[in-house]
Amino acid sequence: MAARRSRIPATKYPVERFTLDNGLRVVLTPDRSAPVIGVAVVYDVGIRSEPEGRTGFAHLFEHLMFQGSENLEKLAHFRHVQGAGGTFNGSTHLDYTDYFETLPSNALERALFLEADRMRGPRLTEENLRNQVDVVKEEIRVNVLNRPYGGFPWLTLPPVMFDTFPNAHDGYGSFDDLESATVADAADFFRRYYASGNAVLAVSGDIDVAEATELVTRHFGDVPARPAPQRPDFTEPDLTAERRTSYTDALAPLPAVAGAWRVPDPVTDFAGYLPYVVLAEVLTDGDASRLVERLVQRDRTVTSLGGYLGFMGDPFDVRDPTALLLQAHLPPGGDVDKVLRTIDEELDRLAADGLTDGELARTQARMATHLLRDTDAVLGRALRMAVLEQQRGEPGLLNELPRLVGEVTEEQVRAAAATLRPERRAAIEVIAGGVR
């Protein structure tokens, strides 16, 4: 009996692309259904691009981009966006840094002016640098040092799996590296990576394409042209023997474990990569998923479980090398070895026996729902299209993702599961040192 295939709805968001003379790539996706716009600028620089001795610099520089620009004093960006009824933020990822706004559509020109102004140059002063170093250090204290399971596993597992500095180092940064940063370092980082030729601008929502094109050209066209730097090759060989380590978290009340396996290149081998994205959901998404049913409900060897692609949970906006991750929290006195053995058993069973009737279709329908929901809002659409343009030159792939997920076959998922062998796994155990 043939496995049931889910019927996946498709989106048909229009896409207009062009490149300015200074190298800035632009993606416009109009949607006149509501008077709202999303604006995103994505620079092709992230944690993996940081030089040795400057850990945390990509994230630090993201903060500096909000401290004033060529024609705007400190905090002016905040006032201009919020004064128009909008919201804004930025974020640093392994392979890119983004800056974005959601605004009423009549504030489009305001958003373009603000982003173009800081693309010309942020205000890199000693005062701004020292202030933001302190802000980032406090963020590290709050999110990593003084939090149970801080940095687990996105900061703690890469140095187990990888050997090279770009892939293995702490993306939040060490206090020593942050404190030794200079204004000259920041200026060099801006010149190298924040070039118009290294960026993508995406605008989504209530826009007229001709008018938006004219406004983009007016505000960004005279940003000085600088080419994109050559992107380093971050590839590493796969593991041939299991790597495993542990550490004591003084604040963690319960033990935890995370394991990761390398997966195909998400850009150059997208067809080979997609089955792993589906596999992660088959294993962990929902109470009926394989590992939740076995480990949480039946064996009760873990209290919670998750699985995803990419160390920052970003399956469709990450480059190689990346991994499929599984992480779990255990009850007091839990047996990490038993949990890992059970995961291996379930992977072997899935590879050998396949999926139950309706299991794949149910998973694919849930995945399509998440994809459609994430890009229903204009900002989610702009951000996703900007990264797809930057990494693949295919912003319209956003429309195809639900369908492509739905076309992954049971045979492909089984084949993917068969590759997740213990000898290819990197694992890290958190030993609970906190009070329960």
Side-chain angles (χ1 to χ4, degrees):
M1 179 178 173
R4 288 183 294 171
R5 301 293 294 276
S6 57
R7 294 186 60 187
I8 305 296
T11 54
K12 297 181 180 179
Y13 297 123
V15 180
E16 300 285 340
R17 304 166 63 215
F18 59 94
T19 303
L20 298 182
D21 291 343
N22 58 15
L24 177 67
R25 288 178 282 169
V26 182
V27 179
L28 304 178
T29 174
D31 177 358
R32 312 307 293 268
S33 61
V36 181
I37 56 167
V39 176
V41 178
V42 175
Y43 295 89
D44 199 345
V45 57
I47 291 168
R48 284 199 263 225
S49 298
E50 294 170 345
E52 294 192 49
R54 286 293 174 261
T55 59
F57 209 87
H59 177 231
L60 172 63
F61 200 86
E62 176 214 319
H63 280 245
L64 291 172
M65 287 286 279
F66 288 97
Q67 302 305 303
S69 53
E70 185 172 275
N71 294 295
L72 295 171
E73 72 278 10
K74 189 172 183 175
L75 302 182
H77 191 107
F78 298 52
R79 292 196 301 271
H80 283 296
V81 174
Q82 293 173 336
T87 59
F88 65 93
N89 213 330
S91 58
T92 307
H93 301 252
L94 291 178
D95 296 304
Y96 66 93
T97 306
D98 56 23
Y99 303 88
F100 47 87
E101 296 86 16
T102 301
L103 288 154
S105 54
N106 61 6
L108 171 61
E109 185 165 15
R110 178 178 300 207
L112 296 177
F113 165 76
L114 292 171
E115 290 296 350
D117 203 59
R118 62 179 167 187
M119 186 179 287
R120 291 187 185 90
R123 293 200 175 191
L124 303 177
T125 67
E126 185 67 23
E127 178 187 3
N128 284 344
L129 177 61
R130 299 274 70 87
N131 173 269
Q132 291 309 301
V133 165
D134 289 341
V135 170
V136 170
K137 287 168 61 180
E138 184 61 22
E139 188 175 328
I140 295 170
R141 292 187 186 100
V142 170
N143 291 337
V144 181
L145 301 180
N146 296 324
R147 171 178 292 187
Y149 313 104
F152 171 78
W154 78 277
L155 291 178
T156 56
L157 190 50
V160 182
M161 170 162 271
F162 298 117
D163 295 320
T164 64
F165 174 82
N167 295 318
H169 78 275
D170 180 348
Y172 247 143
S174 73
F175 281 11
D176 286 344
D177 284 356
L178 291 168
E179 290 166 353
S180 65
T182 67
V183 173
D185 293 331
D188 181 67
F189 195 83
F190 175 77
R191 283 192 299 268
R192 179 183 298 270
Y193 295 111
Y194 278 70
S196 53
N198 205 38
V200 174
L201 165 68
V203 183
S204 173
D206 184 22
I207 59 171
D208 175 82
V209 170
E211 178 187 4
T213 300
E214 190 277 326
L215 289 173
V216 168
T217 304
R218 180 192 308 172
H219 288 283
F220 287 88
D222 63 351
V223 174
R226 299 199 312 278
Q230 183 173 355
R231 191 169 58 85
D233 182 2
F234 298 131
T235 58
E236 288 191 36
D238 196 0
L239 300 185
T240 56
E242 184 179 18
R243 294 182 180 181
R244 186 169 163 186
T245 190
S246 63
Y247 68 98
T248 298
D249 184 335
L251 300 176
L254 298 171
V257 65
W261 297 258
R262 291 280 298 276
V263 295
D265 189 316
V267 176
T268 63
D269 186 14
F270 192 52
Y273 173 78
L274 269 178
Y276 291 86
V277 182
V278 177
L279 172 61
E281 302 299 310
V282 167
L283 293 172
T284 64
D285 186 29
D287 290 343
S289 61
R290 289 291 178 112
L291 294 180
V292 172
E293 191 277 332
R294 172 74 188 273
L295 291 166
V296 179
Q297 297 175 353
R298 192 199 319 174
D299 296 354
R300 299 191 176 183
T301 51
V302 308
T303 58
S304 63
L305 180 75
Y308 46 93
L309 271 290
F311 288 92
M312 301 180 77
D314 42 10
F316 300 118
D317 55 5
V318 66
R319 293 187 174 113
D320 191 64
T322 189
L324 184 153
L325 283 82
L326 298 174
Q327 66 180 78
H329 291 79
L330 285 66
D335 187 339
V336 167
D337 290 327
K338 183 177 181 180
V339 170
L340 292 175
R341 285 197 306 270
T342 305
I343 290 172
D344 293 336
E345 290 172 11
E346 288 299 314
L347 289 169
D348 288 344
R349 187 166 70 89
L350 176 55
D353 300 338
L355 288 85
T356 60
D357 184 41
E359 184 177 10
L360 180 58
R362 180 182 68 242
T363 301
Q364 290 168 320
R366 288 168 67 104
M367 294 178 70
T369 298
H370 295 323
L371 287 168
L372 294 168
R373 181 192 62 200
D374 290 347
T375 56
D376 183 58
V378 291
L379 180 59
R381 211 174 307 156
L383 285 166
R384 177 62 56 80
M385 284 197 177
V387 177
L388 290 173
E389 167 64 37
Q390 183 178 85
Q391 296 184 352
R392 305 166 184 271
E394 294 183 79
L397 183 62
L398 178 144
N399 288 318
E400 303 298 320
L401 285 175
R403 176 184 62 79
L404 292 171
V405 163
E407 290 178 352
V408 171
T409 66
E410 177 181 349
E411 291 71 24
Q412 290 175 306
V413 174
R414 292 174 63 180
T419 70
L420 304 189
R421 306 300 304 159
E423 61 269 18
R424 296 185 59 243
R425 179 172 59 214
I428 189 160
E429 175 185 355
V430 179
I431 301 170
V435 178
R436 290 191 292 273

